[in-house]
Amino acid sequence: MKQVSLTVNGRQVQALVEPRTHLADFLRDNQRLTGTHVACEHGVCGACTLLVDDQPVRSCIMYTVACEGRTVRSIEGFADDALMTRLREAFSSEHALQCGFCTPGMLVAARGICQRLSEPDEQRIRDELSGNLCRCTGYVGIVNAIKVVIAEKKREPAGLQAKPPQATPMPSFQPSAMLAQPGVVPAASANAADRKGATRIEKSFTLPYPPAAVWQVLGDLPIASACLPGAELLEHDDRSVKGRIRIKFGPMSAAFAGAASLEKNEAEMRTTIRGASTDSISNSRVRGELAYRLLPGEEGRATTVEVIVHYTLLGPLAQFSRSGLVQEFAGRLTQQFAHNLAERMSGASAGPLKAAEFKVGGMLFSILWHRIRSWFGARD
Ligand code: FES
Ligand code: FES
């Protein structure tokens, strides 16, 4: 058991919890705050959405111990919030709920939309709500309720102010050198000791080309980065690289920019990339190491590329860092990268380099579809 101390709906709370207890269970079972609903427990449906340090999070995939020193606001904590009060009324008058199971999470998401956007069109509202699933309403009433409140807020901005949660200092994440200097981490600091507690992802793919050819194309950073969906190479030389990657995963967007060092072992056809980057949207920070090595296939005509990633994610996006979805997302990203690389090597996509696009919708859909099939015991 671990001692945790946090603020819940303006109240200081201390408790002993199992390290694996997620925040939704903690609120429901320990704090008797059952307004937070739990459905998928995979970070997919949005039913458990609440605010941590004023940022929406999926409380089913956030460990309670990760909330040490933070401010949690569940649906019960909005009683004196004028914007939430108005949204509740509008949900009722616009018939935006039936069974009400999705409603607490939906209201928290809706409040965020009303707070951030002044003139969203219907499509934008629907996009923003795409991380919250409702089995009953068909969404029409929900979208209408949000439109009504946004229109009202425009007419009387002073009357519908969201009340900020009680200010609580952010926790300090001491071990990270990148906090002091976002975007740059000396190679030596991302050593094996830093991997302790990091999330590890292992993937591999095989290309129908000999190792020497694959080694050459992977070492050509403009080509390799153009094959990685969402990536953009900014600067590079033999030992370092600067770039950015844009990720959109359902309702979640991130634009990580950072720098890394390169360490190549030509004889073993092995490369290690160590670095750090910061997401300009959520201010989340990631540091880590990506290592790949090439293994010759049969008769040296094919090559298997083994990739091992260790990373530590801090900030609002950390809630996703260990979920199974991230593993599957990384798998799809690797597949797309391998596919783009194979096309480039075959000459099918010769010509000027064009950055690979993120096929977000398809990727999210295929991950969810795979999940749903596996829940029902289907095989690929
Ligand atoms: S229960 Fe948390 S996202 Fe579905
Ligand atoms: S109102 Fe029933 S799931 Fe949304």
Side-chain angles (χ1 to χ4, degrees):
M1 300 287 264
K2 280 198 82 169
Q3 175 84 21
V4 66
S5 165
L6 64 162
T7 304
V8 177
N9 299 335
R11 204 165 36 89
Q12 276 298 323
V13 169
Q14 290 194 336
L16 276 176
V17 294
E18 292 284 356
R20 292 190 59 79
T21 304
H22 62 58
L23 182 58
D25 274 354
F26 172 73
L27 293 174
R28 293 179 58 85
D29 300 341
N30 187 296
Q31 298 294 303
R32 300 285 181 253
L33 293 170
T34 53
T36 297
H37 291 174
V38 179
C40 69
E41 289 193 82
H42 279 78
V44 176
C45 73
C48 64
T49 307
L50 44 70
L51 300 184
V52 173
D53 291 335
D54 215 20
Q55 298 291 325
V57 302
R58 313 290 207 201
S59 56
C60 70
I61 53 170
M62 181 157 205
Y63 292 128
T64 309
V65 291
C67 298
E68 173 65 32
R70 305 176 82 168
T71 297
V72 173
R73 198 174 196 189
S74 68
I75 192 68
E76 294 90 346
F78 291 93
D80 55 353
D81 183 273
L83 184 53
M84 187 61 100
T85 303
R86 188 60 199 99
L87 268 167
R88 282 178 161 136
E89 290 163 359
F91 264 53
S92 174
S93 61
E94 298 298 321
H95 307 292
L97 67 151
Q98 288 180 26
C99 77
F101 193 84
C102 68
T103 309
M106 202 61 91
L107 279 167
V108 173
R111 179 178 174 273
I113 297 171
C114 296
Q115 249 185 321
R116 286 179 289 112
L117 308 177
S118 54
E119 287 187 71
D121 59 16
E122 175 156 345
Q123 188 53 51
R124 179 69 193 271
I125 294 174
R126 285 179 176 271
D127 286 348
E128 293 278 336
L129 281 178
S130 61
N132 289 71
L133 306 183
C134 174
R135 294 174 303 176
C136 309
T137 63
Y139 302 96
V140 174
I142 297 171
V143 172
N144 285 346
I146 293 171
K147 278 187 191 165
V148 164
V149 174
I150 288 179
E152 225 169 89
K153 189 165 173 253
K154 224 170 143 192
R155 285 197 303 274
E156 328 159 25
L160 283 184
Q161 284 306 316
K163 199 169 171 185
Q166 189 179 322
T168 302
M170 285 287 283
S172 57
F173 299 99
Q174 287 309 332
S176 175
M178 79 180 165
L179 293 187
Q181 200 179 354
V184 181
V185 167
S189 73
N191 56 23
D194 285 343
R195 292 195 209 129
K196 261 172 75 183
T199 301
R200 177 187 168 100
I201 295 179
E202 276 188 52
K203 300 287 168 200
S204 67
F205 57 92
T206 300
L207 294 167
Y209 299 97
V214 176
W215 177 253
Q216 194 185 357
V217 79
L218 281 175
D220 187 325
L221 290 176
I223 289 182
S225 60
C227 292
L228 184 66
E232 189 186 347
L233 182 66
L234 299 175
E235 283 175 34
H236 72 100
D237 57 32
D238 281 352
R239 297 173 59 90
S240 65
V241 57
K242 278 188 185 172
R244 341 182 225 256
I245 184 160
R246 288 183 179 279
I247 297 170
K248 178 131 176 44
F249 188 68
M252 192 189 89
S253 298
F256 282 97
S261 67
L262 300 171
E263 209 177 282
K264 287 186 187 183
N265 184 327
E266 298 265 352
E268 294 178 14
M269 291 196 176
R270 183 194 298 268
T271 296
T272 304
I273 303 166
R274 298 187 181 101
S277 61
T278 302
D279 170 28
S280 56
I281 299 171
S282 69
N283 205 26
S284 298
R285 297 147 324 254
V286 66
R287 66 177 304 179
E289 173 185 299
L290 180 151
Y292 68 81
R293 67 173 177 151
L294 309 192
L295 301 171
E298 264 178 45
E299 297 174 21
R301 283 203 293 264
T303 305
T304 296
V305 182
E306 280 187 354
V307 186
I308 299 180
V309 178
H310 288 91
Y311 72 92
T312 305
L313 185 57
L314 303 175
L317 293 182
Q319 58 176 311
F320 292 98
S321 122
R322 287 172 195 269
S323 73
L325 279 175
V326 168
Q327 292 281 345
E328 291 176 45
F329 180 77
R332 297 301 195 282
L333 194 65
T334 310
Q335 271 175 16
Q336 268 196 32
F337 175 68
H339 170 82
N340 294 341
L341 207 59
E343 268 204 342
R344 167 75 37 189
M345 290 183 80
S346 73
S349 61
L353 282 177
K354 190 166 163 274
E357 281 178 18
F358 227 110
K359 299 195 175 76
V360 183
M363 190 178 284
L364 180 64
F365 177 79
S366 72
I367 289 172
L368 293 180
W369 178 237
H370 177 78
R371 271 283 149 127
I372 289 163
R373 280 167 61 83
S374 68
W375 287 338
F376 287 92
R379 306 178 111 186
D380 280 335

